[in-house]
Amino acid sequence: MKKVLHLLSSNSYSGAENVAISSIKMLENKCKGIYVSPAGPINNTLQNENIEFVNLDKVTLLNLTKIVYKLKPDIIHAHDFRVSILSSLIPKKVKKISHIHQNPKWIKTINFRSLSYFLVANRFNKIVTVSDQVFENSILFKDMQNHEVIANPLNINKIFEGAKSDNKNFYDIVFVGRLVEEKNPQAFISYIKKLTIKLPDLKIAMIGDGPLRNECEELIEKYNLNNNIDLKGFIEGPYSYIKNAKLVVMTSKSEGYGLVAIESMILKTPILIPPVGGLKTIANNIPFLIYHNREELMKKSIELLSNQELRMVVGEKCEKEALKLTDEKKWREKWKKIYKI
């Protein structure tokens, strides 16, 4: 059985980490997956999933090289730009995969970061992105021969089971995502401030944690939204919150794939999303889900919050579309081919 090291530079749980864990679990009958990252909150999740963990004390080339030579993997599966670049420099001959979950603006231009990745790109056996939009309009990466697009895996049974949990907290609107610049939680809070002028009794849950938490708390205080917004922090598997919500809203500046959008759609909860990254593909056949400005977001939010029948119709369309985008069998076959297992 082949041994695969899944390398990550973060120690918390978010989209890329979810994909790495899902990959290990969904292919565990074909290969042995080992999760390598700095220790932190992610360890609880890994323990619950019974996944082997190796602590990467500091994300350096020396530390990564030591781990690779000690564990002797058949495949290195790097899950972000930083560990991808570092893993490409490890001298040991081993199959290397760079798996990119983000869709940063800098990848579209020539700069230090894009050049650094470009200079090592041909060292990877395969570069996988979660949507075509990641390298869309990119000057350096448009003609790569070792690039393949594979949508993120989704454990539908796990989502449905999680949505059944005994959660008595019902919210009008839910935000799910790390409190980081890319997810733009400040814009979400500003939107809620404007929305409560028309709907003052709204109950909102913001699920997620990150470096912008203090700033979010200050904004909530500044806008007098303490009675409206519950800053819940990180919740592993927030599916019952999504299921019970009337609406989910994303305010991301960039997205690689948009896993939260798919999860919401699977649970028939309408979600309003900006036209960035992979979100454009997700909403291809349901244009109502996309908003292009604050005014459009406000208008659609009020329509959905005040019309249960509309929510049900949109929710049914969401589920139907999401099921088309989550072909687990097809996903397994693509990765079995890349891993050669």
Side-chain angles (χ1 to χ4, degrees), residues 6-276:
H6 291 262
L7 306 183
L8 296 100
S9 58
S10 67
N11 69 353
S12 58
Y13 182 90
S14 192
E17 296 74 23
N18 177 56
V19 173
I21 290 168
S22 296
S23 299
I24 292 170
K25 297 299 289 183
M26 292 165 71
L27 292 170
E28 62 186 352
N29 292 330
K30 294 292 182 178
C31 58
K32 177 179 175 58
I34 301 174
Y35 194 105
V36 180
S37 80
I42 190 65
N43 291 84
N44 291 330
T45 305
L46 296 172
Q47 188 173 2
N48 292 337
E49 295 287 351
N50 197 28
I51 290 174
E52 184 176 343
F53 169 76
V54 173
N55 181 26
L56 179 60
D57 188 34
K58 289 184 179 179
V59 186
T60 65
L61 177 59
L62 178 60
N63 286 344
L64 277 173
T65 302
K66 285 180 178 177
I67 289 172
V68 168
Y69 273 84
K70 180 180 178 181
L71 297 178
K72 298 179 176 61
D74 301 286
I75 301 165
I76 293 175
H77 188 152
H79 286 269
D80 59 48
F81 285 105
R82 185 181 179 189
V83 290
S84 289
I85 291 171
L86 290 175
S87 68
S88 73
L89 302 175
I90 296 172
K92 187 175 178 61
K93 282 191 175 183
V94 58
K95 187 168 191 172
K96 296 174 182 176
I97 298 165
S98 175
H99 194 169
I100 303 305
H101 306 274
Q102 311 102 304
N103 184 24
K105 288 183 179 179
W106 58 259
I107 202 69
K108 316 293 184 189
T109 61
I110 297 177
N111 54 71
F112 176 76
R113 285 185 288 185
S114 62
L115 277 172
S116 297
Y117 189 69
F118 176 73
L119 290 173
V120 301
N122 65 352
R123 298 187 181 195
F124 300 114
N125 298 85
K126 186 70 72 174
I127 293 175
V128 176
T129 60
V130 292
S131 70
D132 287 313
Q133 283 74 27
V134 176
F135 291 142
E136 187 179 50
N137 302 323
S138 171
I139 297 169
L140 294 173
F141 300 97
K142 59 183 178 181
D143 296 320
M144 281 193 306
Q145 299 301 309
N146 60 340
H147 173 225
E148 185 169 349
V149 175
I150 303 178
N152 284 339
L154 204 65
N155 191 328
I156 295 176
N157 291 332
K158 182 179 178 181
I159 292 173
F160 286 149
E161 284 301 312
K164 291 178 183 177
S165 67
D166 187 23
N167 170 31
K168 302 301 183 185
N169 295 315
F170 289 80
Y171 290 89
D172 297 296
I173 303 174
V174 168
F175 170 99
V176 181
R178 290 198 70 222
L179 304 182
V180 294
E181 200 62 40
E182 292 80 7
K183 303 298 182 182
N184 206 7
Q186 308 99 314
F188 177 81
I189 295 169
S190 297
Y191 142 75
I192 294 299
K193 169 61 177 173
K194 191 171 182 180
L195 194 59
T196 52
I197 295 172
K198 293 185 177 292
L199 302 168
D201 297 323
L202 285 177
K203 295 298 293 180
I204 317 298
M206 291 186 70
I207 299 172
D209 213 337
L212 296 180
R213 184 181 179 106
N214 288 342
E215 186 175 336
C216 290
E217 289 174 344
E218 290 169 5
L219 270 179
I220 291 169
E221 184 76 32
K222 176 184 175 181
Y223 293 149
N224 297 314
L225 293 172
N226 289 306
N227 292 329
N228 300 100
I229 298 179
D230 288 340
L231 208 54
K232 308 293 289 186
F234 171 74
I235 296 174
E236 187 176 337
Y239 307 122
S240 58
Y241 286 88
I242 294 172
K243 178 67 175 176
N244 293 336
K246 293 179 181 177
L247 175 63
V248 175
V249 171
M250 296 178 73
T251 50
S252 305
K253 293 180 179 178
S254 67
E255 282 286 346
Y257 182 57
L259 202 57
V260 170
I262 292 289
E263 290 169 341
S264 301
M265 291 166 70
I266 283 285
L267 294 171
K268 299 186 183 181
T269 301
I271 181 163
L272 295 177
I273 53 181
V276 297

Side-chain angles (χ1 to χ4, degrees), residues 327-341:
D327 190 333
E328 187 178 315
K329 183 179 178 181
K330 188 176 180 181
W331 178 90
R332 287 177 193 270
E333 291 306 314
K334 283 186 175 183
W335 278 107
K336 282 162 65 177
K337 186 176 179 181
I338 291 174
Y339 283 177
K340 293 186 177 178
I341 53 176

